[in-house]
Amino acid sequence: MVEGREKPLRNYKLYIGGKDVEGTGWVYTVSARSLLEDVFTSVRLKRSLEQDERSDAADHPYVVGRCAVAGDTAIDLATQAAAAAAPAWAAVPLERRMRLGVRFREELLRRQEEFLELLTAEAHPLKLARWELSCLLQVFSEESLGWYQERMHTEFRHGGRRLIVRRQPDGVVAFNPPQNAPAPSAALSVLALMAGNAVVVRAPRSIALSTMFVLRELIAPLLDEVGAPPGTLNAVCSNPGQTIDRWLQSPLIQDIFYIGGTEEGLRFQQRCVAQGKKPILELAGNDGVVVWRDADIPYAAEAIAEAFYGSGQICMVPNWVLVHPDRADELIAEIKRRAEAVRPGYPEDEDVLLSPVRRSERFFALLRQSLDAGAELVTGGRRTEIDGTPSETGVFLQPTVVRVNGLSGARSHEIVRHETFFPLIPVIVPETADDDKLLDSFIDFVNTNEYGLRNSFWARDSNVIDTVVQRVVNGGLLKVNDSHIGFLPYLPSHGGTGLTGGAFGEANYPMLKTSHLQGVSVARDVSPRTAVFGD
């Protein structure tokens, strides 16, 4: 250990069949702070280490850890190990498997500082990392776990029979987490494990460290604790195309949990169905926030400003706003004030929300298309340095607010029709009309969104709220007068309709999605003839 390094280098091999396994090479994680302080040194360190693992570069304090890389053989071995473990794990009583969720939450809390530290090392602003942790704590809350268990097994008595409606595990579930939030997404594999499945998780090569920490140091020991057979959990760091191709070809895998872009995800869905596998999709969001005449404007603007978390590079943040014309100016002024208070900085700084955006050309093309179509730039629209100074070379983007006048042509603006994945929020101001007509058009606009992850409404009138709750059918989650991105017990953690969830899209409870319904009747002293003919 050299001067300047405070902690030893984290080191994760592949995890297959309950054992640490050598890979074909290593990928290294250098701290996100280093990329902002000295990008040339960071790139040089990674190149040096990936060419020679014995390089002295491993001692540099910028280097946080390394993960072994899997080739075809290791990917297949992980699948085989999961298939071998699946029957024995499925036979473990549900109550014992549910213990895994309780213990995972306890371990997350116990080791939360390590979890947050790794996320910030991978460029998640600390505030965003805390939100990600809070989401997982709700997914694995006592209330949520109890609700999952109820849905997994329910019993009735009827005419001398014991009737059971239960969910049985699908078998082997493969997880493909996204690059923007791999560790929290990989943590959802615990839900598939609780359902009785064996799992294989691919850690993204470009950002593997926090994912391997969650899988190897949090989940794997807990499986040992509850007596799961070796191979119930397998973790490989590998290329996405290579891995998914092998998963699709393998007869041993039943489900593939795919998180990624819409175009790639829908193509994957077709391939998955053709191979007889269940695709579980988490794709783009393009969420909307609707603000009614009587809304609490400061609170609504606070929720809308969640669009800037992680520079908008999160599928479930707001992507567009539709506001009652009588409140438009007030709301836009409040959003502008909040947007201008959001600042860039080092990810471990407490008040930072923005992440670097390295491929920003599309941001400017989208913004120009909208402005050319008649939109008005309210604030933002430039690159900025880490200190907030606008520049042509900065790696951050200013939080940007655009006013779009008119509802009928709003979707001619690409920033309204499709998810942008940037810190960019268009506010749509419709033409003036009576409230009944406006409400109808607002609900229709939400329901005709091609995507359907989350929707939010802000209103005080109970009749308006009741109408919205009854008539909004798009999306996996509807929030009224609440944080758009906040997670709650019982409610779905993910999932949606349309381009968000594919042909099988709906609210996604991974424990339920990776299992299937089965009905059971256990009779005693019942005549089969009577059961059939009723005499």
Side-chain angles (χ1 to χ4, degrees), residues 41 363 441:
T41 297
F363 167 83
S441 65

Coordinates of all heavy atoms in Angstrom, one line a residue, residues 41 363 441:
T41 N -4.6 11.1 -16.2 CA -4.0 10.1 -15.3 C -5.0 8.9 -15.1 O -4.5 7.8 -15.1 CB -3.7 10.8 -13.9 OG1 -2.7 11.8 -14.1 CG2 -3.2 9.7 -13.0
F363 N -28.0 16.1 -26.8 CA -28.7 17.1 -26.0 C -28.9 18.4 -26.8 O -30.0 19.0 -26.8 CB -27.9 17.4 -24.7 CG -28.3 18.6 -23.9 CD1 -29.4 18.6 -23.0 CD2 -27.7 19.8 -24.1 CE1 -29.8 19.7 -22.3 CE2 -28.1 21.0 -23.4 CZ -29.1 20.9 -22.5
S441 N -58.4 16.5 -21.9 CA -57.3 16.5 -22.8 C -56.0 16.1 -22.1 O -55.1 15.5 -22.6 CB -57.1 17.9 -23.5 OG -56.8 18.9 -22.5

